[in-house]
């Protein structure tokens, strides 16, 4: 379970997260949505124990995130890959760090599932952004954590791998894993999310369970978070001469 | 402690691979020239180039292997504080230079002053490897006004700065400037020093696209720029650096020599598809090209310095002709011209 009580975080004069109160129950798949710079990644960092909130407390299963690392699987914003290791070596490294017993089968399955088998021997520095993200995703789930915290897992991922990741997350949540993720891909998260948090300027403007939602997610997002700008690029497409 | 072994194993691999970039020195024009001079019974010249390269390689090779793990990843791992400290203590020894420092302390023939100075440089490189990369902006307004060619030129200047060849040239240029200002540099040394600086920079002239990667080349192909303009924009900072490094020596000779280095180098720059590493020496295209390039530059610089400044016109003509010809080939490759 994830719990935040009155959590705030600032960068200089900018308030990234403002008095966030949040409880994510075990087995819940909670999605945080918001525009760029709304404070989503800062929230993820606080939940993952990468930064301390200026005010308030964050707990994962009743303890501070820094004391719950073995139970956490995180896909950080910068992916945290080592340029000079291959895709497969990253998974072996992760298996060793989290003491996964006989990880061969899991690694093989993850490589297959995410379509990384052919690129398994590619160095992280030479991977496409999608491959790097899939590698970081595989590292997050490899040790079967009780809590998954994923920062934009679906961005830059191909449709087949997206489907595989969606199924994996849905299955993990059904078996009791708490999943907290941020995303901009509304169609994907609308399908798998149990609960949606709309975030604007560091505050939650909507906290709704899927079954309670009266309108499509995109509609709510445009209404409550930010509406598309009405400005038109009149010059675009005109004859340059 | 169970998590330590895989981390150490992965770090050993990653460090070994990142250090393998040092091998690029074997393809550098300085190495080729050093070996040529060795076979011409001038071993001291080989030693000179070797020391110069070793000095410049030392700092980037002094990094901390633990810095290869992104800080966020390291923070996420469930390692107890004791394991983190243990890693902190053990990982520096994955770098062979750390052992060399200890050996230097034990070996009594190395003076303490020298050892302390070298160790200080090592520690500087060690701690600097943990500093976050400097964020640089490419498009400052004054430079944007010169259009995409200005942007390409600035990008290439930055790439030159990230090559050890450039710092090696500075290692020679700055002290010689000091000697010149102190009035202790003989005028007879101007041309030889200029030639050495040109040779040090010469491998950059054959690897103009070496740091662009596939993404960079795609970008050039997308821009509506003729090939010769791309080559010209890439060449300007190279010639600028060569002349700037030799302003106190023989700048006109350096100008002529750099033009020939570039002109001959264009052939190989177009053919090159490999990736050059940052903070390593550039690796060129084999002995024959290196010799052709260096001999052309030496002849051009010597002609300008010893015979007539009008030789510069010949250099410019050769450069212009080859720029046009190689530019056409680049345009064809980028799809702007029918092949």
């Amino acid at each position: 379970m994830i719990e935040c009580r009155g959590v705030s975080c600032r960068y200089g004069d900018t308030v990234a997260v403002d008095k966030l109160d949040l409880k994510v129950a075990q087995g819940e798949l909670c999605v945080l949505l918001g525009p760029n710079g709304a404070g989503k990644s800062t929230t993820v960092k606080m939940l993952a124990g990468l930064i301390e909130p200026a005010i308030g407390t964050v707990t994962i299963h009743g303890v501070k995130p820094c004391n719950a690392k073995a139970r956490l699987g995180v896909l950080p914003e910068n992916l945290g890959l080592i340029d000079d290791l291959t895709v497969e070596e990253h998974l072996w490294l992760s298996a060793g760090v989290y003491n996964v017993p006989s990880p061969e089968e899991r690694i093989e399955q993850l490589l297959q599932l995410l379509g990384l088998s052919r690129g398994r021997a590619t160095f992280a520095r030479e991977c496409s952004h999608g491959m790097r993200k899939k590698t970081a995703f595989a590292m997050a789930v490899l040790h079967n954590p009780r809590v998954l915290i994923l920062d934009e897992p679906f961005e830059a991922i191909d449709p087949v791998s997206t489907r595989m990741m969606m199924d994996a997350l849905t299955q993990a949540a059904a078996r009791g894993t708490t999943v907290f993720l941020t995303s901009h891909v509304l169609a994907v998260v609308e399908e798998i999310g149990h609960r949606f948090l709309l975030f604007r300027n560091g505050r939650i403007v909507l906290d709704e369970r899927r079954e309670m939602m009266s309108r499509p997610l995109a509609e709510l997002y445009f209404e409550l978070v930010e509406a598309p700008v009405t400005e038109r690029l009149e010059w675009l497409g005109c004859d340059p001469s | 402690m169970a998590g330590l072994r895989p981390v150490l194993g992965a770090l050993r691999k990653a460090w070994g691979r990142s250090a393998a970039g040092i091998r690029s020195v074997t393809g550098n024009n300085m190495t080729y020239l050093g070996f040529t001079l060795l076979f011409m019974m001038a071993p001291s010249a080989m030693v000179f180039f070797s020391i110069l390269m070793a000095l410049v390689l030392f700092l980037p090779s002094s990094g901390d292997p633990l810095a290869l793990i992104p800080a966020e990843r390291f923070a996420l791992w469930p390692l107890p504080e004791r394991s983190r400290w243990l890693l902190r203590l053990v990982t520096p020894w994955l770098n062979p230079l750390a052992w060399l420092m200890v050996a230097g302390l034990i070996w009594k023939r190395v003076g303490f002053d020298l050892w302390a100075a070298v160790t200080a440089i090592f520690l500087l490189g060690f701690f600097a490897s943990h500093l976050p990369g400097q964020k640089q902006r490419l498009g400052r307004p004054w430079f944007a006004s010169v259009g995409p060619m200005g942007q390409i030129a600035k990008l290439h200047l930055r790439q030159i700065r990230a090559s050890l060849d450039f710092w090696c040239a500075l290692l020679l240029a700055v002290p010689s400037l000091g000697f010149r200002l102190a009035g202790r540099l003989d005028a007879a040394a101007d041309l030889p020093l200029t030639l050495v600086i040109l040779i040090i920079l010469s491998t950059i002239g054959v690897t103009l696209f070496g740091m662009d990667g596939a993404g960079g080349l795609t970008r050039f192909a997308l821009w509506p720029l003729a090939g010769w303009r791309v080559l010209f924009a890439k060449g300007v900072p190279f010639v600028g650096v060569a002349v700037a490094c030799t302003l106190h020596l023989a700048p006109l000779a350096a100008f002529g020599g750099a033009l020939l280095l570039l002109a001959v180098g264009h052939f190989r720059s177009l053919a090159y598809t490999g990736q050059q590493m940052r903070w390593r020496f550039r690796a060129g295209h084999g002995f024959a090209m290196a010799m052709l390039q260096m001999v052309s530059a030496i002849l051009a610089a010597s002609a300008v310095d010893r015979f007539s400044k009008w030789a510069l016109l010949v250099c410019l003509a050769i450069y212009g002709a080859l720029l046009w010809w190689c530019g056409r080939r680049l345009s064809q490759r980028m799809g702007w011209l029918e092949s």
Side-chain angles (χ1 to χ4, degrees), chain A residues 69 76 78-81 84 89 99, chain B residues 2 6 17-18 70 72-73 75 78:
Chain A
K69 285 182 182 175
N78 71 359
L79 307 182
L81 301 183
D84 287 303
E89 284 168 353
N99 287 322
Chain B
R17 284 167 186 161
S18 111
E72 286 203 349
R73 178 66 62 196

Side-chain angles (χ1 to χ4, degrees), chain B residues 62-77:
Chain B
S62 304
D64 179 7
L66 196 59
L68 289 175
I69 299 178
E72 286 203 349
R73 178 66 62 196
F74 192 59
L76 287 171
W77 283 336

Side-chain angles (χ1 to χ4, degrees), chain A residues 86-144:
Chain A
T86 65
V87 168
E88 187 175 359
E89 284 168 353
H90 274 97
L91 300 190
W92 279 101
L93 169 61
S94 216
V97 169
Y98 289 95
N99 287 322
V100 179
S102 318
E104 299 87 349
E105 201 184 328
R106 275 192 200 183
I107 290 175
E108 209 54 50
Q109 277 181 330
L110 280 168
L111 291 172
Q112 286 282 342
L113 183 87
L114 296 168
L116 290 169
S117 295
R118 274 177 57 199
R120 64 200 300 160
T122 311
F123 288 110
R125 63 167 181 265
E126 291 163 1
C127 286
S128 65
H129 187 60
M131 275 178 79
R132 287 170 63 86
K133 187 156 272 186
K134 286 193 268 186
T135 307
F137 178 82
M139 289 174 85
V141 299
L142 179 74
H143 56 289
N144 188 23

Side-chain angles (χ1 to χ4, degrees), chain B residues 58-337:
Chain B
F58 188 79
L59 198 64
S61 305
S62 304
D64 179 7
L66 196 59
L68 289 175
I69 299 178
E72 286 203 349
R73 178 66 62 196
F74 192 59
L76 287 171
W77 283 336
L79 297 171
E81 203 55 32
R82 206 158 56 125
S83 298
R84 289 176 193 275
W85 272 106
L86 210 58
L87 272 175
R88 181 68 281 152
L89 290 172
V90 172
T91 50
W93 304 104
L94 292 173
N95 186 344
L97 284 182
W99 292 98
L100 209 65
M101 294 304 110
V102 175
L105 185 63
I106 296 167
W107 195 30
K108 295 295 174 201
R109 289 182 67 179
V110 178
F112 182 77
D113 295 351
L114 177 65
W115 177 84
V118 174
T119 305
I121 298 171
F122 173 76
L123 290 175
L124 184 72
F126 188 85
F127 290 112
S129 62
H130 284 279
L131 296 176
Q134 216 184 344
K135 283 186 181 165
Q136 293 178 324
R137 283 179 302 162
L138 186 61
R140 297 211 177 105
W142 65 270
F143 217 87
S145 62
V146 288
M149 284 173 72
Q151 298 286 338
I152 296 172
K154 190 163 185 189
L155 172 71
H156 195 225
L157 182 63
R158 186 182 297 167
Q159 291 171 340
I160 290 174
R161 268 181 11 213
S163 300
L164 291 186
D165 310 55
F166 167 71
W167 295 99
C168 210
L170 272 191
L171 197 64
L172 209 60
V174 173
S176 63
L177 174 65
F179 278 104
R180 168 65 21 102
L181 291 175
R184 292 174 60 189
L185 188 68
D186 197 316
D190 286 358
L191 183 63
L193 277 173
T194 300
L195 292 178
V196 172
I197 288 173
L198 281 178
I199 286 164
I200 291 172
L201 292 171
S202 61
T203 320
I204 296 172
V206 280
T207 52
L208 290 182
F209 297 98
M211 281 194 181
D212 290 322
L217 289 175
T218 308
R219 182 57 53 195
F220 292 140
L222 288 172
W223 279 340
L225 279 181
W228 72 266
R229 293 181 72 193
V230 174
L231 285 175
F232 180 73
K234 286 245 164 196
V236 168
F238 176 79
V239 176
V241 164
V243 173
C245 285
T246 53
L247 270 178
H248 57 293
L249 300 167
L252 281 179
F255 182 56
L259 285 177
L260 263 285
L261 279 178
L262 267 182
V264 178
H266 280 342
F267 286 99
R268 298 307 296 181
S269 283
L270 294 188
Y272 190 71
T273 52
Q275 178 78 28
Q276 301 285 334
M277 287 174 76
R278 288 168 62 78
W279 305 116
R280 293 285 180 263
F281 280 101
R282 298 270 182 119
H285 301 270
F287 184 76
M289 172 50 69
M291 284 298 129
L292 179 63
Q293 202 196 9
M294 285 188 280
V295 169
S296 318
I298 289 169
L299 287 176
S302 304
V304 173
D305 193 68
R306 294 290 151 92
F307 297 111
S308 166
K309 304 287 180 270
W310 291 103
L312 263 182
L313 287 180
V314 180
C315 297
L316 277 168
I318 295 173
Y319 172 74
L322 289 176
L323 178 71
W324 176 81
W325 196 78
C326 291
R328 263 187 76 82
R329 283 186 53 189
L330 183 61
S331 291
Q332 284 163 356
R333 253 185 62 186
M334 295 195 304
W336 287 104
L337 269 182

